[in-house]
Amino acid sequence: MFALSAVPGFATELVGAVQFNEDHAFTKALREFERWAGECSGGSLTFELHLNSELGLEKDYFENMSQGIAVDYAIVSPSHMSTFSQKAPLMDMPFLFRDLDHWNAVMEQDALAPLAQDVLEKANVRLIGYAGGGTRQLIVNRPITNMEELEGLPMRVMGAPIQTRIFEAIHAAPSVIAYAEVYNAIQTGVIEAAENEAAGIEQMKFYEVGPHIALTAHAITVRPIAFSNATFERLTPEEQECVMSAGAAGGKLGRDIESSQDSEKLAAMEEAGLLTTHAFEERDKLLELAAPVKKAYAEELGATDVLMAIEAVK
């Protein structure tokens, strides 16, 4: 059974899924995709977007798109693609991007195309655009502004091994702790720091236990708009072109919204006296220390060419 179904005599309805409500940047990106594709196709494509995890979680959406059932389009974190494509998680590697301008240029110049091709070949899912834009910083119980202060910092990282390797390389002391336990772990002194983007800091109230934010900008999120290739192949060539151009437009809007919201949220929390941001004076040193780990990881994934292409983007 395919999710794509013809409306008698006129349109093809596509089914989308998202974990959030209408206010979220991901939903707004998908709405822009729908608007653009609907107009471009002259109304031959129509859309039904299920909100608030009605159709499960991102992992479920991706598996469904791979099988050509239930979901035609969704935004999915690269980590949920790793079961199919071992190269996909490169998109989430810390210090992959020099800064926000470099991140945007990589998306605009389609430097992630080889990763998208691997996902298409291994999972039968197309990556048609790139949203994201949350910038991850260090959340600390004391000011951290340079390498000396960072040395040996006990901090929480996510479970992917590359996270531990990168933060060890920059001389922190990372350990994997469940996300729900981070607040208590900082409060009780098990760790002194964690890392997250502004939305996570706000939602989990991490500023209560880690009111000092070191602006390391060590990761900028990439959240692809994914589209079932089984569905794609059943569209007309004109509709396929519309889907691809609409994916790029939806991704661009998603990046614009989330990257601006991220800085706005951080500034608002600082203005409210909830936290203090600190420029990290030796960020070039962080990039230098992370470089060999990034290179080794890309080699393990068979994606050295992709890393080189990303780093070459000006």
Side-chain angles (χ1 to χ4, degrees):
M1 174 195 160
F2 288 85
L4 176 145
S5 59
V7 177
F10 180 52
T12 295
E13 184 176 79
L14 301 171
V15 177
V18 66
Q19 293 180 185
F20 308 101
N21 62 19
E22 291 287 1
D23 296 330
H24 197 278
F26 288 7
T27 310
K28 290 177 180 177
L30 292 175
R31 290 298 189 200
E32 176 67 3
F33 161 74
E34 294 172 346
R35 184 194 68 77
W36 184 292
E39 289 181 7
C40 172
S41 67
S44 74
L45 296 176
T46 63
F47 306 90
E48 181 184 355
L49 180 60
H50 292 263
L51 310 178
N52 298 314
S53 305
E54 283 177 13
L55 299 183
L57 303 176
E58 288 180 15
K59 177 173 66 74
D60 307 312
Y61 310 156
F62 195 77
E63 289 173 359
N64 287 338
M65 285 186 281
S66 179
Q67 296 169 38
I69 60 171
V71 176
D72 295 309
Y73 61 98
I75 288 179
V76 179
S77 167
S79 62
H80 297 309
M81 305 175 189
S82 60
T83 307
F84 298 87
S85 163
Q86 83 165 13
K87 293 183 181 182
L90 186 78
M91 295 182 223
D92 260 352
M93 181 170 66
F95 298 106
L96 182 61
F97 307 107
R98 291 188 294 274
D99 50 34
L100 207 56
D101 288 340
H102 179 229
W103 167 82
N104 240 322
V106 168
M107 306 300 135
E108 292 296 326
Q109 296 177 36
D110 207 16
L112 300 179
L115 302 181
Q117 184 61 33
D118 192 62
V119 171
L120 177 59
E121 290 171 5
K122 305 287 174 54
N124 205 32
V125 174
R126 287 180 178 267
L127 306 187
I128 59 171
Y130 299 95
T135 301
R136 299 180 77 90
Q137 319 281 6
L138 291 187
I139 307 156
V140 202
N141 63 4
R142 56 187 167 87
I144 298 286
T145 63
N146 55 45
M147 293 305 301
E148 186 180 351
E149 291 169 352
L150 178 64
E151 186 73 34
L153 179 71
M155 64 173 290
R156 180 262 182 185
V157 294
M158 294 181 283
I162 184 59
Q163 301 284 334
T164 298
R165 286 160 61 181
I166 287 274
F167 284 99
E168 283 178 344
I170 65 169
H171 300 174
S175 56
V176 176
I177 294 173
Y179 188 58
E181 295 170 13
V182 171
Y183 186 105
N184 283 342
I186 299 176
Q187 189 176 43
T188 57
V190 173
I191 53 175
E192 295 178 11
E195 56 86 47
N196 211 316
E197 56 216 69
I201 296 170
E202 181 182 58
Q203 181 185 22
M204 300 297 285
K205 298 186 177 179
F206 287 142
Y207 51 77
E208 293 180 349
V209 290
H212 297 281
I213 309 301
L215 300 177
T216 51
H218 54 267
I220 305 171
T221 59
V222 177
R223 296 294 178 260
I225 301 179
F227 195 93
S228 168
N229 192 49
T231 299
F232 187 85
E233 290 181 343
R234 298 174 64 215
L235 302 178
T236 67
E238 293 78 16
E239 288 171 337
Q240 289 178 347
E241 285 185 22
C242 289
V243 164
M244 295 305 294
S245 62
K252 175 71 165 65
L253 180 70
R255 295 199 305 278
D256 289 347
I257 291 172
E258 191 166 353
S259 58
S260 62
Q261 279 183 351
D262 188 90
S263 54
E264 286 166 9
K265 280 181 188 293
L266 206 57
M269 285 186 280
E270 184 157 32
E271 198 173 318
L274 299 174
L275 54 80
T276 304
T277 60
H278 303 273
F280 194 85
E281 297 158 6
E282 297 177 86
R283 191 165 180 278
D284 288 352
K285 185 67 176 174
L286 298 179
L287 291 168
E288 180 189 321
L289 291 169
V293 181
K294 287 161 53 183
K295 183 181 177 186
Y297 184 59
E299 284 174 7
E300 289 169 24
L301 300 184
T304 299
D305 55 335
V306 187
L307 178 61
M308 290 174 67
I310 289 169
E311 292 181 339
V313 170
K314 300 300 182 192

